[in-house]
Amino acid sequence: MGFIKFLKEESAAILQRDPAIKSKLEVLLYPGFRIMLRYRIAHRLYLKGHYLLARKIMQKGADKMGIDIHPGATIGNNFFIDHGIGVIIGETAIIGDNCTIYQGVTLGGTGKQTGKRHPTIENNVMISAGAKVLGNITIGNNTKIGAGSVVLKDIPPNSTVVGVPGRIVKRNNIKCEQIDLDQVHLPDPVSRDIDELREENRKLRKKIEKLTKSFEELKKGQNNENT
C-alpha cells in the first residue's frame, strides 16, 4: 500500500469506527494511528532484512504508546486499534482487512511452537478489550470475540465467541455492510444456562406442589372412609 493511500484509509477507518472523534486532525493524536505509521515503515524494512532497525522503530513506538507490534507481523488494510494500551501482536501474526481490536488484546504464541506460531485473523473481525488469541490458529471472517475471552482453537467464519476458554455461542449472523462494533450485547452462555436451570426448577416445584396436593386429598379421603 502506498503511504498516501495508507494515510487516507487508516484515518477513514478511525473516523468511521470511533464516535468520540470530533475532527480529522484528532486522528493524528491516536496511538493506534501513530503506531501503524511506524509499523508500515518498519515492516518494509523487516521484509528487506533490516531486522534490527525495524525492531528499533517499533520498540520506540511501544515505549511511547504501549502498543507492541512485531515488525514481522502481516497486517491488512483499514486496521483500527482503539485506545491500544496493552495490545500485543506477535511476529508471525497475520491480520486481514477491516479488522478492529481494542485495548489489552494479545495475538500471541503458546510458547510451544516454532515457525508460524501466532494467530491468523481473517477479514472483518472484531476482538474486544482484554481478549487473548493464542497459537497458530485461524479466526474466520466476520467473527466477533467478546471482552476477556481466551481463544485457543480455530474459529469458523461468522461466529461470536465468549468465555474462558472461548466457545462459539452464535453462528452465521446476517452480515452487515457496516462493521458491527458492539462489544456489549453478546450472548452470555452462563446466564442462559442459569435461566434454563431456574425454569426447570420452577417446573419441578410446580409438579411437587401438584403431587403433594393430590396426596393430601387422597389421605383426607381415606380418613373420611375410616370414620
Side-chain angles (χ1 to χ4, degrees):
M1 183 193 295
F3 195 70
I4 299 300
K5 186 179 179 182
F6 158 76
L7 288 174
K8 290 180 179 179
E9 290 191 357
E10 298 286 332
S11 59
I14 295 174
L15 288 166
Q16 178 192 17
R17 300 178 209 172
D18 191 347
I21 197 165
K22 300 297 187 293
S23 71
K24 292 182 179 180
L25 289 176
E26 284 185 59
V27 170
L28 301 177
L29 302 176
Y30 268 59
F33 181 75
R34 290 160 59 196
I35 199 69
M36 286 304 296
L37 285 176
R38 288 177 172 270
Y39 163 78
R40 297 298 180 189
I41 295 170
H43 184 62
R44 288 186 178 184
L45 291 170
Y46 187 87
L47 294 178
K48 293 179 180 179
H50 303 298
Y51 304 123
L52 182 60
L53 179 57
R55 289 295 298 271
K56 185 176 181 180
I57 290 171
M58 294 312 297
Q59 188 58 53
K60 284 187 176 181
D63 293 342
K64 290 181 178 180
M65 287 161 268
I67 302 172
D68 187 357
I69 302 176
H70 195 285
T74 301
I75 302 176
N77 300 333
N78 300 322
F79 181 55
F80 178 43
I81 305 174
D82 199 358
H83 298 293
I85 299 299
V87 166
I88 298 173
I89 300 175
E91 177 189 14
T92 62
I94 299 174
I95 302 175
D97 296 335
N98 305 314
C99 290
T100 300
I101 66 175
Y102 290 84
Q103 67 273 15
V105 167
T106 297
L107 305 181
T110 62
K112 299 179 181 179
Q113 297 169 317
T114 58
K116 178 69 170 73
R117 59 194 185 279
H118 299 101
T120 294
I121 311 297
E122 295 187 343
N123 301 327
N124 307 311
V125 172
M126 187 198 77
I127 307 177
S128 300
K132 316 300 178 189
V133 184
L134 306 177
N136 182 18
I137 61 176
T138 298
I139 308 300
N141 293 322
N142 312 311
T143 288
K144 294 178 71 173
I145 297 176
S149 299
V150 177
V151 185
L152 304 173
K153 296 180 180 180
D154 290 345
I155 302 297
N158 308 307
S159 299
T160 298
V161 179
V162 300
V164 180
R167 61 171 173 162
I168 298 169
V169 293
K170 210 169 190 180
R171 283 289 312 277
N172 295 320
N173 286 340
I174 297 173
K175 183 178 178 294
C176 301
E177 292 183 3
Q178 188 172 7
I179 298 172
D180 181 4
L181 302 178
D182 185 358
Q183 300 183 73
V184 177
H185 300 97
L186 301 179
D188 183 348
V190 175
S191 177
R192 182 180 60 199
D193 290 345
I194 291 172
D195 289 341
E196 288 176 357
L197 287 171
R198 284 175 176 167
E199 179 61 20
E200 288 179 8
N201 184 56
R202 186 190 67 79
K203 290 178 180 179
L204 286 172
R205 287 171 66 90
K206 193 172 181 179
K207 286 181 179 180
I208 291 171
E209 288 174 0
K210 188 175 180 180
L211 288 170
T212 301
K213 186 177 180 181
S214 298
F215 176 75
E216 289 176 351
E217 289 176 352
L218 179 61
K219 187 177 180 181
K220 186 178 179 180
Q222 288 177 346
N223 290 337
N224 291 335
E225 288 178 2
N226 293 333
T227 57

